[in-house]
Each structure stands twice: as C-alpha cells, then as structure tokens.
C-alpha cells in the first residue's frame, strides 16, 4: 500500500473509471518495485508509462468537456492534470497520478534512462520541497542555490532533448513544475542579492555552524563539548564587529549587515537552547522525532553505500513518508496528539530532520548513474578498478609489469562478458552500455599506460 499524501474524494463521479484504472496502474508499479527476483526491464516500465499517458489524455478530454471550478484557469497549457493544484488542493485522481509519475520517474533512473524526460519528475518534487523549506527556514548559502540552479538547467536540457520523443502532456507538466521551482529559486537568490562579497564567507560560515549545531542536537549521545566549540566560534565572529557592524578589509561597511547579524543572533540563541535541552525533545513529539531520525539515518547509510545497495525506486517510500509528516503541519507548525503546538526546540529539531532527509534524497537522485541496475555490478567493479589504477599512477606507478597482472586479469574477465561488444542479460541489452564500455576502455588505457611506464623503467635500468 502506498503512503501518498492525504487525498480528497473526486468532485466529479464521472472520473471514477479513470481513477480505477490509474489505481490499477499504481498497483502494478508498486508490485514491480517490490519484485527483487530480477532486474527492472525497460519494456515493462515503458508499457506502464504509456498506460498512464493514455489515462491522462482521457482525463484531459473529460475535464475539457466538463469544466468546473477546479479546472477553470488550468487549460492554458492544454493539460488538466496540474502539479501546482495537486500540491495545494489534491483530489484523488490527481494524487494517484502523482504517485504513478513519481514511481515511473524513479523506474527510469533504475533502468539507466536518467537523461530522458520522465526521469525528471521525481527530482522536481524533491527540489520543490527543498526550496519551500529553505524559504521557510530563511537561512541558506549561495552554494546551496547554485547546486539547485545547475540541476534545474540540466533538467531543462533533458526536456528540450525529449520534445520529439515524449508526450506533450508530460512535457507541459514538467515544464510547469520546473517553472515553479525556478520562481522559488529566483526569490531565494533575490533575498541574498544584498549580501556583499566581503560578508559572503562569514555568512556561509554561520550557515555551516547552524546546521552543525542542529546535527549535534540529533545525535544519540549529545556532544555538549562540540556544541560549546561551535558557540565559541560564534562568539569569535561576533567579536569582529566594530560598533555593531562587520567591516571590510579597507574599513568600509559592506552591504548585507542585517542578513549576517540576524543569522548570527539566531545561531547564538539556537546554541543556547540546544545546550539547555541536551538533545531531549518534548515527549509529545518523540514519536515523530524517532520516525524522522530513523528515516534520516537510513538515507544517510544509503548515501554511503549507494553504488552497491540502492535501487532508486526504494526512495519512493521515503519520499511519501516525509511528505506525510510535512503535510501534517498546520500553518507550518507541528502539533502533538493533544493539539498542543511544538515549542521552538521541538519545531526546529523536527524541521531539521525533515529537511536533511529531503536533502539526502536530492543527492541520491543527483548521483544516480545512467546505468541499468542489471549492469551496476559490472559498472561498480570498473569504478573500483579505475580508482585503484589512478591511485597507483599517482603514487609513481609500478616497478614491474607483473604487478599489473591482477588488474589485467580482472579487466579481461569483464571484457569477455561482452557479446558483440555489448553486455547482455539473456537476450536483453540493458541500458547504460555506453557508460560501461567507456569506463572499461578508460581502465584498459590506464592499465596500458602503467605497463608502458614500467617497461620503459626496466629498460632504463
């Protein structure tokens, strides 16, 4: 059973047949996600994708013929399934379609088709959540925004390349989601526009300290000494003020004083609260805290072992659990079972865990390789071989070609797995052949260069 955001009943009963079909598609996607007996095949994913697009076409026709208050104003792009409306007032058909697209997007990453339009959907959802939280938190660095901006630009390139391949309905939806993210990003960038280059390093240092204090606050054993060390760093930064202002190296008063001073005050106040609470959260919010901490810890482990243990579709359940918790807030605040609002410590602690978890998902999606899971074991072995050969080269090479035999034997054994230059699984040709073959060729080149250097060294002696 999926853990999608809370849904409202469809306003128009005539949509029920479409709802039934998209529910069946979602069930098929969920079953495919859970099947670990074999790798995910492209044809299975494409079949389900085509079924979803067909239902969207029928939904568009239906809503065009039967306009109502919800659909009014959404026809500008000729696409009734609207992601912004879904986030603001979800109804069942739209919510289930969102589930389907989230899963299909993650499936495209799993089969190695990262640079195709459907793969973009899940990332846009994660970026939207991250930007919403950055706006709410009101502290972030230019580096945070730069990474997201680069990702959005890369996704726009993906959509441009897919304009002749994929449904215009899907492309219109994805373009609208990217536009929403870009508008949020531009707003956040504008908020930092008054920050002068002279104060940027101090601002980034404060952002780093604030996050480090929040991370320490969620440790199993509270590191009081570490938090006091962060507090000392804050006091050192504060001591650099002259008459209440930060000065540039030439003695001038750079722009952005309010931004940096406000963040410094916030850091000092938060460090005091954290030292008083010693990592103990209000009992009424302990269950939510433990759930979020558990998700954060699992995602942290996946970030460390991603290459060997992650199937991108596994992220779906984490996304939905986080969405549920995020959407349970009322006007941004957490409430306990008795209806009491969270105090400042509990509120900020829970939001830190929520944001950190979304950030982990973002980086996991970002670092996904364009290689089918069927080829990942080979790809991972080649990456390890390349790292080893690069380290050998950096350390001065080998004294004898014989030292390269283990690398040569492994590379030859992988090369012999190919059939007509392709890595096959039965009769299937999994996605990612170019990436794996390129990596294999790079390893052969490194091995050859090291062998030549060793042979030349032997001749010189």
């Amino acid at each position: 059973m999926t853990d999608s955001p809370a849904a409202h009943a469809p306003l128009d009963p005539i949509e029920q047949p479409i709802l039934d079909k998209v529910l069946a598609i979602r069930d098929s996607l969920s079953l495919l996600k859970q099947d670990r007996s074999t790798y995910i095949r492209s044809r299975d994913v494409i079949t389900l994708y085509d079924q979803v697009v067909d239902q969207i076409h029928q939904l568009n026709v239906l809503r065009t013929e039967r306009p109502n208050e919800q659909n009014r104003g959404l026809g500008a792009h000729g696409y009734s399934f609207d992601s912004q409306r879904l986030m603001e007032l979800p109804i069942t058909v739209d919510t289930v379609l969102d589930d389907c697209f989230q899963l299909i997007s993650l499936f495209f990453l799993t089969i190695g088709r990262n640079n195709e339009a459907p793969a973009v959907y899940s990332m846009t959802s994660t970026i939207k959540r991250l930007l919403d939280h950055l706006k709410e938190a009101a502290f972030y660095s230019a580096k945070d925004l730069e990474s997201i901006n680069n990702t959005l630009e890369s996704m726009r390139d993906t959509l441009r390349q897919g304009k002749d391949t994929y449904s215009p309905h899907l492309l219109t939806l994805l373009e609208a989601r990217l536009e929403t993210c870009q508008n949020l990003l531009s707003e956040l960038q504008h908020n930092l526009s008054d920050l002068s280059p002279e104060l940027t390093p101090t601002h980034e240092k404060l952002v780093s300290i604030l996050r480090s204090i929040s991370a320490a606050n969620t440790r199993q054993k509270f590191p009081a000494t570490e938090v006091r060390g962060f507090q000392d760093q804050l006091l050192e930064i504060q001591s650099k003020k002259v008459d209440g202002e930060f000065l540039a190296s030439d003695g001038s008063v750079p722009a952005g004083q309010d931004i940096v001073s406000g963040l410094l005050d916030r850091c000092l106040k938060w460090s005091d609260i954290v030292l008083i609470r010693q990592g103990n959260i209000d009992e009424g919010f302990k269950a939510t805290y433990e759930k979020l901490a558990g998700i954060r810890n699992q995602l942290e482990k996946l970030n460390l072992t991603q290459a060997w243990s992650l199937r991108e579709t596994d992220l779906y359940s984490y996304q939905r659990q986080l969405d549920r918790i995020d959407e349970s807030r009322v006007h941004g605040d957490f409430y306990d079972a008795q209806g009491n609002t969270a105090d400042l410590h509990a509120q900020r602690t829970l939001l830190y865990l929520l944001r950190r978890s979304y950030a982990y998902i973002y980086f996991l999606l970002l670092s996904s390789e364009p290689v089918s899971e069927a080829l990942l074991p080979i790809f991972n072995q080649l990456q390890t071989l390349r790292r080893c050969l690069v380290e050998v080269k950096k350390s001065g090479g080998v004294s004898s070609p014989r030292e390269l035999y283990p690398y040569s034997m492994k590379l030859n054994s992988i090369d012999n797995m190919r059939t007509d230059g392709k890595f096959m699984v039965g009769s299937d040709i999994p996605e990612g052949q170019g990436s794996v073959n390129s990596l294999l060729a790079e390893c052969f080149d490194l091995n050859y260069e090291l062998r030549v250097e060793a042979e030349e060294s032997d001749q010189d002696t």
Side-chain angles (χ1 to χ4, degrees):
M1 183 176 180
T2 58
D3 194 13
S4 15
H8 296 251
L11 299 182
D12 194 339
I14 202 168
E15 293 185 1
Q16 189 63 45
I18 294 176
L19 173 60
D20 292 339
K21 289 178 182 176
V22 294
L23 281 169
I25 295 170
R26 188 179 70 176
D27 289 343
S28 298
L29 288 164
S30 297
L31 289 172
L32 186 62
K33 177 176 76 74
Q34 294 165 15
D35 184 6
R36 295 275 183 173
S37 61
T38 184
Y39 76 95
I40 304 296
R41 293 178 173 82
S42 295
R43 61 175 178 270
D44 296 331
V45 176
I46 297 299
T47 298
L48 291 167
Y49 163 77
D50 289 339
Q51 292 177 18
V52 172
V53 171
D54 180 60
Q55 293 306 308
I56 287 176
H57 174 70
Q58 295 185 38
L59 185 64
N60 283 341
V61 172
L62 186 71
R63 289 181 175 176
T64 301
E65 293 174 349
R66 299 171 63 88
N68 55 36
E69 287 298 322
Q70 273 198 313
N71 295 331
R72 194 170 296 160
L74 295 175
H77 299 291
Y79 193 46
S80 297
F81 171 53
D82 184 83
S83 60
Q84 186 62 30
R85 176 162 64 102
L86 175 67
M87 293 178 182
E88 294 170 357
L89 182 63
I91 63 172
T92 304
V93 175
D94 297 84
T95 304
V96 179
L97 280 171
D98 180 61
D99 288 340
C100 291
F101 273 123
Q102 291 282 3
L103 283 164
I104 285 170
S105 179
L106 294 170
F107 272 120
F108 265 73
L109 295 176
T110 303
I111 62 177
R113 299 175 74 160
N114 302 42
N115 300 319
E116 299 188 30
V120 167
Y121 192 95
S122 184
M123 180 61 94
T124 60
S125 300
T126 302
I127 288 178
K128 173 67 165 59
R129 295 276 180 181
L130 276 177
L131 291 172
D132 282 338
H133 277 284
L134 289 177
K135 180 180 178 180
E136 179 184 10
F139 77 91
Y140 45 86
S141 69
K143 291 180 180 178
D144 297 329
L145 304 185
E146 183 181 357
S147 171
I148 293 175
N149 185 64
N150 292 339
T151 303
L152 290 176
E153 185 56 43
S154 175
M155 290 193 290
R156 276 191 285 270
D157 289 340
T158 298
L159 296 192
R160 283 192 286 268
Q161 294 167 10
K163 65 180 181 180
D164 297 325
T165 307
Y166 287 97
S167 162
H169 300 311
L170 173 68
L171 294 176
T172 301
L173 169 63
L174 292 174
E175 286 165 1
R177 292 168 73 88
L178 283 177
E179 184 179 357
T180 299
C181 292
Q182 187 62 57
N183 290 339
L184 267 172
L185 178 62
S186 298
E187 182 182 347
L188 297 179
Q189 289 172 328
H190 176 73
N191 293 340
L192 291 182
S193 61
D194 292 334
L195 186 64
S196 64
E198 292 87 350
L199 288 183
T200 296
T202 302
H203 180 262
E204 290 180 350
K205 178 69 173 176
L206 289 172
V207 170
S208 176
I209 291 174
L210 185 53
R211 288 175 177 168
S212 297
I213 292 172
S214 296
N217 179 52
T218 60
R219 298 254 188 93
Q220 192 168 10
K221 184 178 180 181
F222 182 74
T225 303
E226 186 176 331
V227 175
R228 290 192 191 97
F230 292 130
Q231 198 171 55
D232 290 340
Q233 293 181 46
L234 294 171
L235 294 172
E236 182 181 348
I237 292 173
Q238 187 180 48
S239 69
K240 295 179 181 178
K241 281 187 170 185
V242 178
D243 296 329
E245 293 182 314
F246 291 98
L247 301 181
S249 56
D250 61 359
S252 62
V253 180
Q257 296 289 326
D258 291 343
I259 297 173
V260 178
S261 293
L263 184 54
L264 175 59
D265 291 342
R266 183 174 178 178
C267 289
L268 287 166
K269 181 179 180 181
W270 181 232
S271 65
D272 287 337
I273 294 173
V274 168
L275 283 170
I276 291 170
R277 298 299 292 268
Q278 297 279 306
N280 296 313
I281 196 164
D282 189 295
E283 194 64 33
F285 299 92
K286 203 160 189 177
T288 304
Y289 171 83
E290 290 175 351
K291 184 171 184 178
L292 281 172
I295 294 172
R296 188 272 311 266
N297 294 340
Q298 291 171 45
L299 289 169
E300 186 176 33
K301 289 178 182 176
L302 281 175
N303 268 271
L304 295 173
T305 62
Q306 175 192 9
W308 301 96
S309 61
L310 177 68
R311 174 187 267 190
E312 283 81 358
T313 50
D314 294 340
L315 296 175
Y316 176 76
S317 61
Y318 295 116
Q319 286 177 322
R320 285 316 192 204
Q321 289 178 71
L322 293 170
D323 293 348
R324 278 283 192 183
I325 295 171
D326 199 12
E327 292 165 11
S328 70
R329 296 190 290 149
V330 180
H331 302 303
D333 294 326
F334 287 97
Y335 285 80
D336 64 14
Q338 284 70 44
N340 301 311
T341 186
D343 61 20
L344 184 60
H345 177 260
Q347 179 78 9
R348 287 193 179 177
T349 301
L350 296 176
L351 284 175
Y352 166 77
L353 290 171
L354 194 57
R355 291 165 188 156
R356 188 62 181 159
S357 297
Y358 277 125
Y360 276 133
I361 290 176
Y362 170 75
F363 286 115
L364 284 166
L365 292 173
L366 196 61
S367 55
S368 173
E369 298 286 355
V371 175
S372 167
E373 64 173 346
L375 297 184
L376 270 181
I378 298 172
F379 186 77
N380 291 335
Q381 290 177 54
L382 287 171
Q383 282 192 313
T384 301
L385 278 169
R386 180 179 61 181
R387 282 194 294 269
C388 291
L389 289 167
V390 167
E391 287 302 317
V392 169
K393 192 175 180 66
K394 284 181 180 178
S395 64
V398 294
S399 57
S400 167
R402 294 179 62 86
E403 295 178 38
L404 295 171
Y405 283 176
Y407 301 109
S408 299
M409 290 175 63
K410 185 61 181 177
L411 287 171
N412 286 323
S413 71
I414 292 176
D415 189 32
N416 291 334
M417 296 170 67
R418 296 192 293 178
T419 303
D420 296 329
K422 300 181 181 66
F423 291 95
M424 308 282 289
V425 177
S427 59
D428 295 329
I429 304 176
E431 302 286 341
Q433 297 287 327
S435 297
V436 178
N437 281 317
S438 175
L439 189 54
L440 177 61
E442 185 181 352
C443 289
F444 269 121
D445 288 344
L446 283 167
N447 194 59
Y448 175 75
E449 290 170 10
L450 287 167
R451 188 173 73 249
V452 169
E453 289 174 4
E455 290 172 349
E456 290 176 349
S457 177
D458 281 347
Q459 292 172 3
D460 292 341
T461 58

